[in-house]
Amino acid sequence: MSNSKLNHPDISGASHNAGNSRRSFFKKVTAATVTLAGANLPTFPADSSVNDSEPENEIPWYRRVTRWGQTNITEKDPINYDIDWWRKHWKNTQTQGVVVNAGGIVAYYPTKIPLHYKAQYLQGRDLFGDLCRAAHEDGLVVFARMDSNRAHEEFYKAHPDWFAIDADGKPYRAGDLYVTCVNSPYYNEHIPAVLTEIAKLYHPEGFTDNSWSGLGRNRICYCENCKKSFREKTGKEIPRVKNWDDPVYRQWIRWNYDRRLEIWDLNNRTTKAAGGPNCIWSGMNSGSIRGQSSRFRDYKAICSRADIIMLDHQARSDSVGFQHMSDIGKLIHGLLGWEKLIPDSMAMYQAGRPTFRVATKPVPEARMWMLEGFAGGIQPWWHHVGAYHEDRRMYHTAEPIYRWHKANEEFLINRTPIGTIGVVWSQENTDFYGRDEASLLVDLPWRGITQALIRARIPYQPVHADHIDRDGSKFSLLVLPNFGSMTVNQVSSVKRFVERGGNLFATDESSLFNESGDSLKDYALCDLYGAHVAANYKGGSSLRNLGRRTTSHTYLRLSPEMRSQVYGPQTGTEPAVVGERHVVLNGFEQTDILPFGGLLTSVRTDASAKVIMTFIPEFPIYPPETAWMREPKTDIPGLILNTMPNGSRVAFMPADLDRQFASYNLPDHGNLLANIIRWTSKDDIPLTVEGAGLVDCNIYQQPGRLIFHIANLTSAGTWRQPINEYISIGPISVRIKLTKDVKGEYLNLLVAGQKIPAVVKDGWSHFKINSILDHEVIVMT
């Protein structure tokens, strides 16, 4: 039983008195809200809320606000928050919407909700109300920001049964705060009461929440709320330990996902009931699928519900680079639709490695993060922590790029991507195949494939495995980068894609596991691969069993060999060509082996399949006297090519070369992956780009025009953040395949501010860009 002095109920619901206590508590909340509404507080005219005033046929605010800003308020800010200064900053940066701290962990208004902690230095000020009124007066929309997964000790002592606990009954804590339980009245009643109070008092256009999904996957809550809910839903007890092979643990994973969707739906019902049909609630989401999985946030299901995705992805890591922004933008739009918006919280402070909350991020670093966001269909959202800074340089970062964005936003939204290569993913693969090694098993193979595509200047689109039937006609090739865990329907979709003339490239252990991550007896796509697991396969994942051992001294042998056994520096003779090599091996004429570094599942092949690379097992590196191949030749396939009766091409690489390329960036790996992609796609690629530098290329279409984004990723900080200056590249020769409604003769360079001619030949537009500093956007009509 709760020991609340307000007599809050035991949420087991067993006691009639408990039910009365809960009703009494929320009667107090309702009365408090009415009292607060009549107090001497800022009020807004009826039309100050876009939700109430927008005509039915007008585009809603969440479809037309494309530039956001946020001052993440600290508890001390109410003392000296200079609203007039920030209003000028909103104007200078052409900001259209602001994210303003409202409530949750800390309330920045005079809340009447019991135990809703007010900011320590609020001192009676209604800071949220003042900011909301100022924004509305300036014509800006307001996202009221919540942070609802933790509470202070006073709240915990009043309602210990509303908080997450471990197997020993001890509460989970985050610093001085206590982590609330997603199955408790805190989420079911307290947060809805706060949302209702804010919506009725201040009329923000919507609500967002920084950390709305509660306890992460690495911890299990054993409170009575969770026990009761899990038992009702599954008939089982909550698992005592993490065990991915335990069906009950996997039920617990799925049950947690379902509960977060229930919270999403509850909060939206609450805000729309209190603030009108366009007063949406949209909790923030991660720019990492693994991050989403760790917080039980189902991106696909969320995007099917969301009107806008508020992306909290503030900085790059050294391993993924700036290009991750365009990648995640395309991935989310593939779920959400390209007509909807994805603002991203772009830190003006030094976020990433290392983090300094009140120091300026180097401008080139912050700027390139924003530009690569634009390339992936993401909208800018400048973000400061605190309302006053001694490092004033950060105030000047956003303005020039926001002004450029305003001048060119018609080309940056309401468009669809063009790319004939689809890279397949699903969050379930991250969960049930990747499990606790998702970085190794899922993220690295994805990154290896996408980086090989970027390096080769080949546009691509992420495609969810459940959407292959829907989106497959856009692509000539699907790539499965170690897509281990597949549902029966997903397997069928891939087969239908190939039957209809599509091509396939799969790597590693793709299709070797079912939707729960259990190993199959053979690849589900074995008939397409022309390959099967070897007779001695005992199940499980050879990659998962590696643990943290990510590289080995292994090689791949190219077939056929291009040299005689006597060729060497002592003879000076030319290599004797033993046979004609496949075009996939173009560029490797002077070698018979390639460094590999990984392991693979041993397979046997069908008669129709062609093996063009074989595995050379590991041998010693040190001491040098021992560094010789113990088994220089094997018949273990490393790359298998198969042509189907209908002419569709299939490449299957049991070698985890994609993971190796992501880990070590060896050019041989990237070149080979690009060769395989070109061959399997039958060179159906709508773009060629020639010139030095690492560039990320994306093509979009709007009615009557094509839009070509090219981002220059070449810098001294390409793989080591932060960068402090750009390195210009050029000239760059470009060749783009035209659509029927685009002539492609005259081009508008939006960054350089130039118009240049192009040569059109055989349905392709040929042109040259003399120089690119950070990015260029070319509009073709």
Side-chain angles (χ1 to χ4, degrees):
M1 180 69 71
S2 168
N3 63 357
S4 169
K5 63 182 180 181
L6 292 175
N7 195 27
H8 284 206
D10 180 341
I11 43 65
S12 67
S15 166
H16 174 72
N17 291 334
N20 288 336
S21 294
R22 181 182 298 155
R23 286 189 291 271
S24 174
F25 168 68
F26 284 100
K27 283 182 180 178
K28 291 181 181 180
V29 170
T30 303
T33 302
V34 172
T35 301
L36 185 58
N40 186 24
L41 292 169
T43 58
F44 308 106
D47 63 354
S48 68
S49 171
V50 178
N51 301 323
D52 297 329
S53 65
E54 286 178 333
E56 289 185 4
N57 61 348
E58 186 174 331
I59 299 173
W61 63 270
Y62 45 78
R63 294 283 183 90
R64 44 186 176 78
V65 176
T66 61
R67 287 177 299 282
W68 288 87
Q70 178 185 3
T71 305
N72 206 328
I73 306 171
T74 70
E75 281 202 69
K76 198 170 183 180
D77 282 336
I79 296 174
N80 57 8
Y81 200 117
D82 187 345
I83 294 179
D84 288 339
W85 188 95
W86 284 101
R87 292 175 80 165
K88 294 176 183 176
H89 192 66
W90 299 343
K91 182 177 180 180
N92 290 339
T93 55
Q94 308 293 314
T95 297
Q96 299 170 301
V98 286
V99 179
V100 182
N101 299 59
I105 295 175
V106 178
Y108 289 95
Y109 68 100
T111 177
K112 298 299 183 182
I113 303 292
L115 298 173
H116 190 198
Y117 173 86
K118 300 182 188 70
Q120 181 180 354
Y121 293 92
L122 193 62
Q123 297 176 357
R125 183 177 183 182
D126 184 6
L127 183 56
F128 174 77
D130 292 343
L131 284 164
C132 194
R133 177 175 55 190
H136 285 158
E137 288 175 354
D138 290 349
L140 278 65
V141 304
V142 175
F143 243 139
R145 176 193 178 275
M146 302 284 292
D147 198 329
S148 58
N149 79 325
R150 303 169 190 175
H152 290 78
E153 186 173 15
E154 180 187 11
F155 204 140
Y156 169 72
K157 287 183 176 179
H159 296 285
D161 48 340
W162 291 17
F163 290 79
I165 61 174
D166 64 18
D168 296 324
K170 296 179 180 178
Y172 287 111
R173 301 183 64 174
D176 294 332
L177 301 176
Y178 293 76
V179 179
T180 53
C181 175
V182 295
N183 287 293
S184 77
Y186 180 87
Y187 277 85
N188 291 333
E189 298 166 349
H190 174 74
I191 290 301
V194 173
L195 295 173
T196 299
E197 181 182 57
I198 294 169
K200 289 185 175 294
L201 284 173
Y202 303 108
H203 307 290
E205 279 64 35
F207 290 81
T208 187
D209 196 312
N210 180 65
S211 185
W212 56 274
S213 52
L215 202 66
R217 195 175 78 184
N218 60 333
R219 295 181 290 183
I220 299 176
C221 178
Y222 295 95
C223 77
E224 292 302 319
N225 308 294
C226 288
K227 289 179 179 178
K228 179 183 177 184
S229 175
F230 189 70
R231 194 181 302 119
E232 289 175 348
K233 295 290 177 62
T234 69
K236 308 288 177 54
E237 297 300 321
I238 292 176
R240 303 298 293 179
V241 296
K242 179 194 296 185
N243 179 5
W244 286 98
D245 293 323
D246 177 7
V248 176
Y249 180 77
R250 297 192 293 235
Q251 282 184 293
W252 177 81
I253 293 287
R254 293 188 170 99
W255 167 76
N256 270 287
Y257 271 116
D258 291 342
R259 177 55 184 155
R260 273 59 177 188
L261 295 176
E262 291 172 358
I263 291 170
W264 186 284
D265 293 340
L266 170 62
N267 288 344
N268 269 282
R269 290 195 301 270
T270 300
T271 57
K272 290 178 181 180
N278 283 335
C279 185
I280 62 171
W281 180 96
S282 189
M284 297 183 195
N285 285 279
S286 171
S288 160
I289 300 304
R290 186 159 45 92
Q292 289 288 96
S293 292
S294 72
R295 309 301 297 188
F296 300 114
R297 299 169 180 169
D298 183 340
Y299 241 140
K300 178 171 170 281
I302 286 171
C303 285
S304 71
R305 292 161 160 77
D307 295 299
I308 186 173
I309 288 293
M310 301 300 285
L311 186 61
D312 189 7
H313 191 43
Q314 299 183 21
R316 65 169 172 144
S317 68
D318 291 340
S319 57
V320 300
F322 293 112
Q323 55 269 39
H324 182 66
M325 271 294 270
S326 66
D327 180 77
I328 196 64
K330 292 183 290 186
L331 183 148
I332 298 171
H333 272 301
L335 302 174
L336 185 69
W338 284 90
E339 75 282 2
K340 296 181 182 180
L341 302 175
I342 309 173
D344 177 55
S345 178
M346 299 169 172
M348 301 295 99
Y349 63 88
Q350 176 52 43
R353 180 196 55 83
T355 296
F356 293 101
R357 288 285 203 182
V358 294
T360 298
K361 179 183 286 189
V363 173
E365 181 79 16
R367 179 180 172 89
M368 183 56 74
W369 191 241
M370 300 168 89
L371 296 178
E372 271 289 71
F374 299 169
I378 288 172
Q379 290 69 54
W381 163 10
W382 54 254
H383 178 201
H384 298 277
V385 172
Y388 170 80
H389 302 91
E390 294 178 272
D391 188 344
R392 295 172 294 281
R393 297 171 295 176
M394 67 179 72
Y395 299 144
H396 303 287
T397 302
E399 181 176 344
I401 198 165
Y402 268 51
R403 289 185 178 275
W404 182 88
H405 184 277
K406 180 182 180 181
N408 298 288
E409 66 179 324
E410 67 176 295
F411 307 110
L412 305 177
I413 59 173
N414 297 320
R415 59 191 188 174
T416 55
I418 293 178
T420 54
I421 312 301
V423 186
V424 181
W425 73 282
S426 80
Q427 194 163 334
E428 291 82 0
N429 185 51
T430 297
D431 284 324
F432 296 106
Y433 171 65
R435 300 185 175 182
D436 296 324
E437 295 290 347
S439 175
L440 178 75
L441 297 174
V442 180
D443 291 359
L444 284 176
W446 175 275
R447 197 178 307 150
I449 290 294
T450 57
Q451 181 58 22
L453 286 161
I454 290 170
R455 186 171 174 270
R457 290 86 180 266
I458 300 175
Y460 71 92
Q461 298 177 49
V463 55
H464 194 282
D466 288 341
H467 295 161
I468 291 173
D469 286 331
R470 184 192 75 181
D471 298 335
S473 61
K474 302 175 185 177
F475 307 115
S476 63
L477 171 66
L478 292 180
V479 182
L480 307 182
N482 200 24
F483 196 80
S485 183
M486 300 184 70
T487 68
V488 172
N489 287 338
Q490 290 167 357
V491 170
S492 297
S493 293
V494 171
K495 290 183 177 182
R496 282 191 293 271
F497 174 80
V498 174
E499 288 169 0
R500 293 167 184 163
N503 307 293
L504 180 68
F505 174 29
T507 70
D508 313 350
E509 296 177 330
S510 291
S511 83
L512 192 52
F513 298 80
N514 67 16
E515 61 190 76
S516 296
D518 297 323
S519 58
L520 304 174
K521 294 181 179 179
D522 200 356
Y523 300 103
L525 296 172
C526 61
D527 52 339
L528 300 184
Y529 297 167
H532 310 265
V533 294
N536 60 356
Y537 175 64
K538 298 180 180 179
S541 167
S542 61
L543 298 176
R544 189 184 292 152
N545 294 337
L546 280 174
R548 290 297 172 186
R549 185 189 181 209
T550 58
T551 188
S552 304
H553 191 219
T554 57
Y555 292 77
L556 294 171
R557 182 169 296 283
L558 284 57
S559 177
E561 295 181 81
M562 297 288 287
R563 45 166 281 186
S564 66
Q565 293 299 315
V566 298
Y567 174 64
Q570 73 277 16
T571 66
T573 58
E574 291 298 320
V577 179
V578 177
E580 183 179 354
R581 279 187 174 171
H582 196 279
V583 294
V584 163
L585 302 180
N586 285 354
F588 302 115
E589 290 77 14
Q590 294 299 313
T591 182
D592 292 331
I593 61 172
L594 291 181
F596 174 30
L599 298 176
L600 49 73
T601 300
S602 183
V603 301
R604 55 186 174 84
T605 59
D606 294 335
S608 62
K610 185 174 184 178
V611 177
I612 66 169
M613 301 183 81
T614 54
F615 179 62
I616 301 175
E618 186 171 19
F619 58 94
I621 292 176
Y622 187 86
E625 291 82 356
T626 66
W628 50 274
M629 295 179 185
R630 304 306 193 266
E631 195 175 359
K633 292 186 179 181
T634 71
D635 59 0
I636 301 172
L639 176 60
I640 303 160
L641 305 182
N642 197 22
T643 300
M644 309 304 293
N646 66 351
S648 292
R649 294 176 177 178
V650 178
F652 175 51
M653 191 169 215
D656 64 329
L657 200 77
D658 42 8
R659 181 170 66 88
Q660 296 301 319
F661 183 50
S663 298
Y664 303 111
N665 202 34
L666 286 178
D668 283 348
H669 294 172
N671 292 339
L672 179 58
L673 291 170
N675 284 356
I676 296 170
I677 288 166
R678 288 193 178 95
W679 178 79
T680 47
S681 69
K682 301 179 181 178
D683 286 316
D684 182 13
I685 298 167
L687 174 72
T688 59
V689 176
E690 296 179 355
L694 177 63
V695 293
D696 185 14
C697 300
N698 290 278
I699 308 172
Y700 294 91
Q701 61 182 339
Q702 292 176 333
R705 61 192 176 201
L706 294 176
I707 300 161
F708 175 48
H709 277 256
I710 179 168
N712 176 17
L713 304 177
T714 311
S715 77
T718 297
W719 300 113
R720 185 170 185 241
Q721 60 169 316
I723 60 171
N724 65 343
E725 66 174 333
Y726 302 124
I727 298 174
S728 180
I729 60 172
I732 301 293
S733 296
V734 182
R735 179 172 167 264
I736 294 181
K737 187 175 183 180
L738 298 172
T739 53
K740 292 181 180 179
D741 60 343
V742 175
K743 294 181 179 179
E745 295 175 344
Y746 296 97
L747 315 179
N748 186 11
L749 277 60
L750 300 183
V751 178
Q754 299 174 350
K755 295 182 184 298
I756 61 172
V759 175
V760 176
K761 183 178 179 181
D762 299 329
W764 291 73
S765 179
H766 304 247
F767 58 93
K768 182 180 291 186
I769 307 171
N770 289 329
S771 178
I772 301 175
L773 181 61
D774 49 14
H775 77 136
E776 187 56 86
V777 180
I778 297 97
V779 178
M780 310 172 64
T781 55

